[in-house]
Amino acid sequence: MEFKTDALVLRATDYGENDKLLTLFTPSRGKLTAGIRGVRKPKAKLSFAAQPFCFAEYVLAEKGGRYVVTNAYLYDGFFSLRTDIVRYYAACAVSETAEKLLVEDGESEGMFVAAAEALKNLSLTEGDAAEILLSFALSALRESGYMIDLDGCGICGGELGEKPYFDFAAGCFSCSACASGTRASRSTYELLRKCAGLSYAEEKAADGRKRALRLIRTYLAEKTEEAYPCFGEFIRLYE
């Protein structure tokens, strides 16, 4: 049986002499693995469809629960990401985060749209790479059921104050009176509110990017029990 689906390439692994195995992110079937034949040959017609970050309509043949790519029609390859190492690793962190949060055979349209938008913004705009990645990560966490509470103190419901804490188990900030979790910074909180599309204090959010990235990476690792090497490399490279 053949079917068509929009998809993003999250990962491509060499297989056999000329083939690859793709980890595809689809809006209706979540994450799936598909073989694509002959794409490592010179001048292979579908070589573009086996590149990281490729956004295309894929034609897949399914047999016995296995998928093979039979054709593809490119929407965008986001090729400019390969010319900027910082933005490249931000894009890798988007793919890495999506792959670890996704399940197979599960609808993930919201996360799919967020991932495509993040790659587009990293490739085609001059927006800050850290904020683009954080916006995607917050959206992906929300879609996966790991939403971070950014509405004041998550324990008493009051004002957060200038010396907040973050509870990695509960996914919320708390005020100094409740003091649940690990010491955080107000700038991290304000920047995360900005990246979530909420009102924020601009003067306090300006210097919170690296701290916010570290917090989100740690939170992702704790919730999924997975490592995030691309996310970590982006933090190292980001200035």
Side-chain angles (χ1 to χ4, degrees):
M1 179 184 73
E2 279 196 348
F3 66 95
K4 294 180 180 179
T5 180
D6 290 345
L8 288 164
V9 175
L10 299 181
R11 185 153 50 93
T13 305
D14 290 348
Y15 181 73
E17 186 175 348
N18 293 304
D19 305 339
K20 282 182 178 285
L21 286 177
L22 307 181
T23 301
L24 296 176
F25 179 4
T26 71
S28 60
R29 301 188 184 214
K31 177 174 61 177
L32 58 83
T33 300
I36 184 166
R37 295 170 179 154
V39 290
R40 294 165 62 197
K41 294 179 180 179
K43 299 182 180 180
K45 183 182 74 170
L46 292 179
S47 60
F48 72 89
Q51 298 300 312
F53 320 129
C54 178
F55 178 28
E57 181 185 63
Y58 285 80
V59 181
L60 299 174
E62 180 183 4
K63 184 177 181 180
R66 296 186 177 183
Y67 301 95
V68 175
V69 177
T70 60
N71 212 340
Y73 305 94
L74 183 67
Y75 296 138
D76 202 326
F78 304 115
F79 299 111
S80 65
L81 292 171
R82 293 157 180 77
T83 66
D84 184 324
I85 191 169
V86 176
R87 296 179 95 79
Y88 172 80
Y89 270 101
C92 288
V94 168
S95 296
E96 177 180 73
T97 300
E99 182 177 2
K100 294 181 189 303
L101 289 174
L102 283 168
V103 296
E104 295 187 9
D105 297 321
E107 185 177 345
S108 305
E109 187 170 352
M111 196 193 304
F112 182 86
V113 171
E117 187 72 11
L119 293 176
K120 182 183 77 171
N121 288 337
L122 286 167
S123 177
L124 303 177
T125 78
E126 295 182 357
D128 182 83
E131 294 186 12
I132 293 169
L133 174 56
L134 287 168
S135 294
F136 167 72
L138 289 169
S139 178
L141 285 165
R142 182 177 65 250
E143 294 288 334
S144 303
Y146 300 126
M147 181 177 178
I148 291 179
D149 184 355
L150 295 169
D151 190 19
C153 177
I155 296 174
C156 70
E159 292 292 327
L160 196 61
E162 294 302 316
K163 296 181 179 180
Y165 289 72
F166 185 75
D167 188 326
F168 284 95
C172 68
F173 287 85
S174 64
C175 64
S176 56
C178 296
S180 175
T182 305
R183 275 294 301 271
S185 72
R186 186 60 188 253
S187 61
T188 295
Y189 173 76
E190 296 295 345
L191 180 63
L192 291 178
R193 281 185 61 88
K194 176 184 180 182
C195 293
L198 303 171
S199 61
Y200 66 99
E202 186 171 357
E203 69 282 0
K204 292 178 180 177
D207 64 348
R209 293 186 180 97
K210 275 212 167 183
R211 286 190 292 268
L213 288 164
R214 292 189 187 103
L215 183 147
I216 292 298
R217 184 194 179 209
T218 301
Y219 184 67
L220 282 163
E222 291 204 6
K223 292 303 180 186
T224 62
E225 298 183 341
E226 297 272 6
Y228 287 77
C230 293
F231 209 120
E233 185 64 12
F234 172 70
I235 294 171
R236 187 186 72 81
L237 292 168
Y238 181 76
E239 301 251 342

